[in-house]
Amino acid sequence: NQTRYISDQPAGCVFGFDNQRSNDQLVFITEGIIDAIHIRGVALLGSSVNKQQLNILNELKRKIVIVPDRDKNGDHLVDVAIDNGWSVSFPEWKPHINDISDAVKHYGRLATFGSIINAINESPLKIKLIRKKWFN
């Protein structure tokens, strides 16, 4: 992995939380800041969620959708989603597209966002089945 940026954030930080609108019905969670910026989501700055971040996200009182990267860390984030009753989006991107930033470069921002919306899964069983294909 190549470092894209240097960041020094407190442990409980949820990047982009302050950009969420009160009338939004969904909040998209990503690992990285750049991915979150592309879709006006929030970033965990990693693939795990601590108690402070959980509290912050639950304050939003809306449907939470994880958009995982296509790697081991993203796979771990899917476990976090299942454990917390969150939805997961597995967009139908070409196999070489690893994250939202890659998708935006390849498909454009609007098409990427639409593919994320269209691929939201709420069922834990369906999430577990689709994840096998997504991470291969």
Side-chain angles (χ1 to χ4, degrees):
N1 277 346
Q2 182 182 17
T3 302
R4 292 186 186 180
Y5 46 84
I6 297 172
S7 176
D8 184 23
Q9 304 291 333
C13 180
V14 175
F15 176 86
F17 178 80
D18 54 332
N19 291 327
Q20 299 303 299
R21 298 181 198 148
S22 61
N23 60 343
D24 288 345
Q25 296 177 11
L26 304 170
V27 61
F28 296 97
I29 299 179
T30 67
E31 291 176 47
I33 292 172
I34 305 301
D35 293 334
I37 290 170
H38 282 304
I39 60 170
R40 206 175 53 76
V42 299
L44 297 173
L45 311 172
S47 61
S48 59
V49 182
N50 63 40
K51 276 189 170 186
Q52 291 169 306
Q53 290 172 315
L54 270 176
N55 290 338
I56 289 169
L57 294 168
N58 288 329
E59 277 180 32
L60 291 170
K61 297 189 187 325
R62 64 188 67 151
K63 184 176 179 176
I64 296 174
V65 180
I66 296 286
V67 187
D69 289 355
R70 229 181 209 147
D71 59 19
K72 188 169 71 171
N73 290 333
D75 194 30
H76 172 72
L77 199 51
V78 172
D79 289 329
V80 171
I82 292 168
D83 291 346
N84 287 285
W86 298 341
S87 299
V88 178
S89 178
F90 298 108
E92 292 188 29
W93 297 334
K94 293 184 178 184
H96 71 279
I97 307 288
N98 294 318
D99 60 17
I100 293 168
S101 293
D102 289 348
V104 168
K105 286 178 201 169
H106 188 81
Y107 302 111
R109 188 174 182 181
L110 187 59
T112 297
F113 189 72
S115 69
I116 291 168
I117 293 285
N118 289 332
I120 295 173
N121 295 285
E122 298 177 6
S123 161
L125 178 60
K126 194 170 183 180
I127 290 168
K128 289 175 185 176
L129 293 172
I130 295 172
R131 87 189 293 176
K132 292 178 183 180
K133 179 182 173 190
W134 175 260
F135 292 106
N136 281 337

